[in-house]
Amino acid sequence: MTAQPPVILVHGLFAPRVSMLPFQWALKWAGLDAHTVRLPLLNMAAVESSAELLRARVDQVLASSGHERCDIVGMSLGGLISLHYLVALDGAAKVRRMITLGTPVRGTWSAVAAVATIGPCCPAARQCLPGSEFLKGLDARGLPQGPEIIAVYGSFDPVAPKSRCTIPGVRNIEIATFPQPFAHQSLIASPAAVKALIELLKEA
């Protein structure tokens, strides 16, 4: 069993699972036991159903690793999926630390285009709109006791700016990213961001 708990990476909206592979390899190179989770349909399904898949993946990884708790890194929508897992699916007892990356906990207007074009096929996009019933419900539940939650956001991120990503009562960290139009994606790609995330995951 490794000294550090396993890390589970949850990708964002319209992103395939393989989008996390370079980040996963970077974490493994740094000595962390990193895993991804399979979320179908480019992660366009409702957050609730994706969180159920995350719960199954957490149980699988913990059983194989011998650890009682894991760390979770949720990229963009992946952070909302992870938060829902913590507060609605009793995931808090199985998570040591959760990091949200550019996660629009207050919603993002960037989801409007997706809702206008493929809204019926993309429940997740509707849930990301500011003021959505999902976000209201998530906020009403509050933060769970136990896991350390860290909100990370990019300096130049137009998709999920600081005003949409900060979470009261937790550590909120701004990371320098690539300028537009790559600011959002560079939260898991820029060397500075990856280095900062590795340091956060290795904290005692």
Side-chain angles (χ1 to χ4, degrees), residues 22-153:
F23 183 44
Q24 181 185 16
W25 293 334
L27 297 187
K28 286 182 175 290
W29 185 261
L32 295 167
D33 181 24
H35 304 261
T36 57
V37 56
R38 188 181 300 279
L39 300 174
L41 300 174
L42 294 178
N43 204 5
M44 295 191 295
V47 169
E48 295 86 349
S49 61
S50 296
E52 292 284 357
L53 296 175
L54 174 59
R55 174 164 64 175
R57 182 61 168 152
V58 168
D59 291 346
Q60 180 187 48
V61 169
L62 290 180
S64 63
S65 70
H67 284 272
E68 295 183 353
R69 294 191 297 168
C70 67
D71 291 344
I72 296 179
V73 179
M75 173 64 188
S76 195
L77 175 67
L80 295 180
I81 294 169
S82 304
L83 283 170
H84 183 78
Y85 165 66
L86 290 187
V87 302
L89 300 179
D90 300 321
K94 298 177 182 179
V95 177
R96 179 193 71 149
R97 176 174 295 141
M98 195 198 79
I99 301 175
T100 61
L101 295 180
T103 295
V105 293
R106 292 183 177 83
T108 173
W109 293 112
S110 296
V112 170
V115 172
T117 53
I118 58 170
C121 304
C122 189
R126 300 195 299 272
Q127 291 176 309
C128 286
L129 287 173
S132 71
E133 290 303 313
F134 169 76
L135 290 177
K136 288 178 182 177
L138 189 65
D139 186 59
R141 289 179 182 272
L143 297 177
Q145 296 295 317
E148 179 187 17
I149 298 174
I150 304 173
V152 175
Y153 47 88

Side-chain angles (χ1 to χ4, degrees), residues 99-101 151-157 172-178 183 186-188 190-198 200:
I99 301 175
T100 61
L101 295 180
V152 175
Y153 47 88
S155 304
F156 310 105
D157 191 346
N172 291 276
I173 300 173
E174 183 172 315
I175 289 181
T177 56
F178 297 148
S186 69
L187 283 167
I188 56 170
S190 76
V194 172
K195 180 176 182 292
L197 292 169
I198 288 172
L200 288 174

